Amino acid sequence: MNATIEELYDRKVYSVEVAAKVEGIGSVAVSVANRWMLGWPARVTALLKAGTYLELVEAQVDQEKDVLANEANLRHLSRREILQVYEIRESPP
């Protein structure tokens, strides 16, 4: 498991395997998972039941990392502001 500063919020909602995989992806995945759980808990529960949650978290992480890695010109903006400039959704699909 990668060391993360942020703890996975409401860990009991996830299976042990899903929680471990999210944490294993890294701190950005934990941040995405927490944002989704805090903002859209019913949607997260539905994605977990459908079995698509991990795939969607990984896709979101990849998208956010790509945008943030390629935007040296926007370093004066917060991470959230940069994502908004590129219209990266904050909510789960």
Side-chain angles (χ1 to χ4, degrees):
M1 178 172 80
N2 293 341
T4 59
I5 296 172
E6 191 175 2
E7 296 286 326
L8 191 59
Y9 176 77
D10 207 3
R11 187 182 184 89
K12 68 185 180 298
V13 171
Y14 307 96
S15 68
V16 172
E17 295 81 15
V18 169
K21 286 182 182 180
V22 168
E23 291 169 339
I25 296 168
S27 61
V28 175
V30 172
S31 179
V32 167
N34 289 346
R35 181 176 71 225
W36 286 6
M37 182 58 77
L38 287 165
W40 303 272
R43 183 69 184 134
V44 168
T45 302
L47 294 172
L48 287 165
K49 285 181 183 177
T52 58
Y53 180 80
L54 278 174
E55 171 187 325
L56 294 169
V57 167
E58 288 176 338
Q60 182 76 19
V61 168
D62 290 345
Q63 189 177 36
E64 290 187 16
K65 282 184 172 181
D66 287 347
V67 166
L68 295 170
N70 293 316
E71 284 313 316
N73 295 338
L74 298 177
R75 293 290 178 221
H76 63 286
L77 298 175
S78 72
R79 174 183 160 156
R80 183 171 188 225
E81 290 169 325
I82 294 170
L83 295 175
Q84 287 174 338
V85 166
Y86 284 89
E87 298 180 355
I88 304 297
R89 65 173 157 61
E90 292 185 73
S91 64

